[in-house]
Amino acid sequence: MTTTTPIVPDTGGAEPRPLNAMQRLAGVLFAPAQTFADIVRRPDILVPLLLVALITIGASLLIAPKMDIESFLRETYANSPQMKNAKEADIDNAVKMMTTVTKITTYLSPILGIGMLVAIAAVFLGIFRALGGEGTFMQYLSVTLYAWVPQLLKSIIIVIIVYARGEMIRPDGMATILMSHPGTLVDMAENPIAFAVLSSFELFNIWSIILFIIGMALVAKVSRTKAAVVVISLYLVVVLFKIGNGALQLLGKKAAAA
């Protein structure tokens, strides 16, 4: 029976110089194996957590005023069978209420996002420990935060694109504004299932998945193959939820047309 050893960068037996936070942020993008090895040895969460908070809060504050939520909701209600007999005043009230809810959700997204990252770290900890892996929660959370750096780059690019356009953006247009996945080749409203599948092959998501695989292999002290199976399997669960949501949208549209 053969054993699989984790992939750890060769340091020639000498203790490598520790990286500072800025070096780690750059290193996870350009030298992830060496950088995650350093993160596992000396896990930290303060700088990456602050970066996640600042960028997500900044992106939310900048994008929210550019979202044409009211027009989108009015169009949605106008095409909804449940609202076809509604009075104009009822539609106005519904639009105002949902606009407020959507804006509140947008502003709360940074807190929700940080909570999601903590949950992701906890899930990975539970799965890898159940599979015989090692690591502490601090190590898993540190790896998770640094593996999320490509998503922060994506947020910055989206803000730049939104302001470069100089026009209001529909909420449903945010999923295709970056054009970083093949889902842009299909109509999201007409082919929600195809869009859910194709949009899953998103450049920045794949980048983060690769970083998760490298980082989790090091923190759990398992092979990259085992880490890849765990990380990709969890991502496929997310994709299945997206496909299910697309299927529900398609069924609702068919029921409305019947």
Side-chain angles (χ1 to χ4, degrees), residues 158-227:
I158 288 175
V159 170
I160 293 172
I161 292 174
V162 167
Y163 277 83
R165 285 189 175 187
E167 60 186 18
M168 299 295 285
I169 306 295
R170 287 167 54 94
D172 57 343
M174 293 300 295
T176 57
I177 192 170
L178 190 55
M179 300 185 70
S180 56
H181 56 78
T184 57
L185 300 175
V186 300
D187 188 296
M188 181 170 56
E190 296 297 325
N191 302 286
I193 296 178
F195 181 83
V197 174
L198 293 174
S199 64
S200 300
F201 296 94
E202 202 272 335
L203 175 63
F204 290 90
N205 287 352
I206 293 172
W207 196 352
S208 281
I209 287 171
I210 293 171
L211 295 183
F212 270 112
I213 291 170
I214 295 171
M216 292 302 165
L218 289 166
V219 69
K221 291 185 170 57
V222 299
S223 69
R224 284 187 186 170
T225 300
K226 181 179 285 189

Side-chain angles (χ1 to χ4, degrees), residues 33-53:
Q34 292 83 356
T35 305
F36 277 118
D38 185 73
I39 291 169
V40 170
R41 284 191 296 269
R42 306 171 188 84
D44 72 303
I45 64 170
L46 181 59
V47 172
L49 195 60
L50 286 174
L51 191 66
V52 169

Side-chain angles (χ1 to χ4, degrees), residues 29-208:
L29 301 178
F30 304 109
Q34 292 83 356
T35 305
F36 277 118
D38 185 73
I39 291 169
V40 170
R41 284 191 296 269
R42 306 171 188 84
D44 72 303
I45 64 170
L46 181 59
V47 172
L49 195 60
L50 286 174
L51 191 66
V52 169
L54 288 174
I55 291 179
T56 51
I57 290 172
S60 297
L61 292 175
L62 290 170
I63 290 178
K66 292 288 187 178
M67 298 281 282
D68 190 7
I69 300 172
E70 184 173 339
S71 296
F72 171 72
L73 289 173
R74 287 190 180 279
E75 181 180 323
T76 301
Y77 289 142
N79 296 326
S80 172
Q82 290 81 9
M83 300 291 290
K84 63 181 180 180
N85 296 322
K87 297 178 180 179
E88 189 66 28
D90 294 333
I91 294 177
D92 288 340
N93 290 333
V95 168
K96 289 179 181 178
M97 182 182 70
M98 288 307 301
T99 299
T100 301
V101 170
T102 303
K103 287 182 177 180
I104 291 174
T105 303
T106 300
Y107 290 128
L108 288 177
S109 60
I111 298 174
L112 299 175
I114 291 172
M116 179 192 68
L117 292 176
V118 172
I120 289 173
V123 169
F124 277 126
L125 170 66
I127 292 176
F128 281 111
R129 292 294 289 270
L131 294 175
E134 300 181 19
T136 65
F137 177 72
M138 180 67 74
Q139 288 175 311
Y140 280 95
L141 180 56
S142 186
V143 167
T144 298
L145 291 170
Y146 280 103
W148 203 252
V149 171
Q151 305 301 319
L152 302 181
L153 290 177
K154 180 167 70 172
S155 296
I156 294 171
I157 295 172
I158 288 175
V159 170
I160 293 172
I161 292 174
V162 167
Y163 277 83
R165 285 189 175 187
E167 60 186 18
M168 299 295 285
I169 306 295
R170 287 167 54 94
D172 57 343
M174 293 300 295
T176 57
I177 192 170
L178 190 55
M179 300 185 70
S180 56
H181 56 78
T184 57
L185 300 175
V186 300
D187 188 296
M188 181 170 56
E190 296 297 325
N191 302 286
I193 296 178
F195 181 83
V197 174
L198 293 174
S199 64
S200 300
F201 296 94
E202 202 272 335
L203 175 63
F204 290 90
N205 287 352
I206 293 172
W207 196 352
S208 281

